[in-house]
Amino acid sequence: DGGITQSPKYLFRKEGQNVTLSCEQNLNHDAMYWYRQDPGQGLRLIYYSQIVNDFQKGDIAEGYSVSREKKESFPLTVTSAQKNPTAFYLCASSPSLRGNQPQHFGDGTRLSIL
Amino acid sequence: KQEVTQIPAALSVPEGENLVLNCSFTDSAIYNLQWFRQDPGKGLTSLLLIQSSQREQTSGRLNASLDKSSGRSTLYIAASQPGDSATYLCAVPKTGANNLFFGTGTRLTVIP
């Protein structure tokens, strides 16, 4: 079945450590997105990518980095500069960035600080 | 900047009741509005996408309406079941792109 796979499901980070969250899709979608979800808040956009080798900052990009070397993959790195990384991270994709197309989501990665 | 609001934040109903969830947005220049369901600790499942040119969209027991001029959408759930218990989120895309602005959701509990 086509879909979006995020791994790991749970991740723990030590102080000063960078960690990378994986997102893979087999939907043949061009556009991919990373959102952060905190309790009591709506999802907020971290980064998005329209096509391979291209990505743009979202509303809360500070302390995060991404790459888009393959169409299927859009990994998110949470760097040590992100001072409050504990959150639920969701990856999504859509056929393109055109605003009339639905986004499909993965099952998320929960990141916690040790 | 687009702001999306969902009221109420939480709702409990007995099984079998019909219910309405509300979503409002401040900028009416939207392409569409999407309703999602989120189970605890899980990702989002798309329920309905209603285009700006549409007034309603239906899927099974779910019916979404959209009134762009007033900046409102409703999600109607008929004959609620315990399995409908989840958080329901609405979202609209950013003008000129597909980045979504989300509401904070309504947590629905259907009591058997």
Side-chain angles (χ1 to χ4, degrees):
Chain A
D1 285 349
I4 299 175
T5 301
Q6 290 187 241
S7 62
K9 188 173 178 65
Y10 299 97
L11 187 59
F12 299 91
R13 195 190 89 169
K14 295 179 180 178
E15 293 288 342
Q17 187 181 44
N18 294 351
V19 292
T20 298
L21 285 61
S22 171
C23 178
E24 304 277 333
Q25 55 99 357
N26 60 5
L27 299 167
N28 200 33
H29 286 172
D30 283 325
M32 298 187 73
Y33 315 80
W34 274 105
Y35 293 90
R36 168 179 172 142
Q37 186 176 33
D38 294 281
Q41 297 193 38
L43 279 72
R44 293 178 290 167
L45 182 69
I46 304 172
Y47 268 98
Y48 63 100
S49 169
Q50 183 175 2
I51 201 168
V52 173
N53 293 324
D54 174 77
F55 48 83
Q56 305 293 329
K57 291 181 179 180
D59 298 321
I60 55 165
E62 186 175 352
Y64 300 97
S65 65
V66 293
S67 62
R68 188 85 186 277
E69 298 176 1
K70 298 187 300 182
K71 185 176 185 178
E72 303 79 18
S73 178
F74 191 40
L76 173 74
T77 296
V78 183
T79 75
S80 58
Q82 172 49 245
K83 299 306 179 187
N84 185 23
T86 298
F88 191 49
Y89 291 86
L90 288 160
C91 178
S93 71
S94 63
S96 74
L97 278 187
R98 289 176 59 193
N100 61 348
Q101 296 172 339
Q103 291 189 17
H104 302 267
F105 284 77
D107 280 342
T109 292
R110 187 166 301 280
L111 175 62
S112 301
I113 294 294
L114 284 177
Chain B
K1 182 183 175 182
Q2 178 73 272
E3 292 185 8
V4 181
T5 304
Q6 292 185 249
I7 296 172
L11 179 65
S12 291
V13 300
E15 182 177 1
E17 270 203 8
N18 303 326
L19 60 102
V20 174
L21 305 179
N22 298 295
C23 173
S24 61
F25 46 94
T26 54
D27 185 349
S28 61
I30 61 171
Y31 293 109
N32 58 56
L33 185 143
Q34 199 167 355
W35 281 94
F36 295 90
R37 169 187 173 134
Q38 185 176 30
D39 293 289
K42 298 288 188 181
L44 276 63
T45 301
S46 180
L47 298 173
L48 289 165
L49 183 146
I50 181 165
Q51 301 288 359
S52 61
S53 58
Q54 297 175 311
R55 295 186 67 86
E56 285 190 3
Q57 189 70 253
T58 298
S59 176
R61 295 183 294 109
L62 306 179
N63 176 277
S65 69
L66 176 63
D67 184 343
K68 276 185 59 177
S69 61
S70 67
R72 294 180 183 177
S73 175
T74 61
L75 179 66
Y76 174 82
I77 302 177
S80 58
Q81 303 171 358
D84 294 331
S85 298
T87 296
Y88 291 81
L89 299 159
C90 66
V92 294
K94 183 176 181 179
T95 304
N98 203 17
N99 314 333
L100 292 176
F101 286 102
F102 281 86
T104 51
T106 294
R107 189 174 69 253
L108 173 66
T109 303
V110 181
I111 303 165

